Amino acid sequence: DAGVTQSPTHLIKTRGQQVTLRCSPKSGHDTVSWYQQALGQGPQFIFQYYEEEERQRGNFPDRFSGHQFPNYSSELNVNALLLGDSALYLCASSPPGQGPYGYTFGSGTRLTVV
Amino acid sequence: LAKTTQPISMDSYEGQEVNITCSHNNIATNDYITWYQQFPSQGPRFIIQGYKTKVTNEVASLFIPADRKSSTLSLPRVSLSDTAVYYCLVSRDPSGGSYIPTFGRGTSLIVHP
C-alpha cells in the first residue's frame, strides 16, 4: 500500500524563481494538506485541499498557491521565491470525512533558495 | 487556537519508560489530542490520538486527565531507534470544516545506550 509520495525530493532554486512541488496522497485518501517546516521548527500549515478546492489556509502570502486534481493528487506552487522559503515542504493526506483522523505525511521536498 | 507547551528536549536510556507531558490549557470541547514522531528529513509519523482518559496501541499509551488541559505520551522500554522529535498537537476544527493539525516545536528525545 503506497503511502504519500512527494516529488522531487530535493530542489535548488534561485531567488525570484517559481517552483512547483507535487504530491500523491495515500490510496483511499481524498484530502491533501501542505506544510512548511523550517530547520529546527515544527511544520507550519499552509493550506488544505478537498474536492479540488482550497478548504483551509494558514498564515502564508498569496505567493503560495495550490491545486488538487480529480485523482486527488496535488501541487504546491510558490512564486517569487525568497531566501526564507528554504524549508522542507511536507504533504499530508487524510481519509474521507471530516473527523480528526491521523494524517499520513510524505517524506517531503527539501527546497533550497539561493 | 489551543497552544501546546512541551519540553524542548529529554534524555533517556535504552529499556526505560519515557513519559512526555504536554499542556494545552485552552483546549476546546471538540479538539482531539494527537502525537506524532519525526525523524530527520522525514515527515511526521502518527503515533496515537485521544480525546479523554487513556488510549493504548502497539507502540504507545496516551493519558488524558478529566480536565483535558494536559496529556502524557508514554513510550514503554525505549530503544535507540526511538530517538526523534515528538510533537503534541491539538487537532482543531476551526469552522465546522476539517480538523487541521497544528504543530508546536516538539520535544527532542535522545535515547542513550
Side-chain angles (χ1 to χ4, degrees), chain B residues 61-89:
Chain B
S61 294
L62 178 59
F63 301 91
I64 305 171
D67 65 7
R68 303 198 332 122
K69 293 184 183 298
S70 67
S71 60
T72 299
L73 173 71
S74 181
L75 304 172
R77 297 179 298 282
V78 294
S79 64
L80 296 177
S81 63
D82 292 315
T83 294
V85 177
Y86 292 82
Y87 293 97
C88 157
L89 51 151

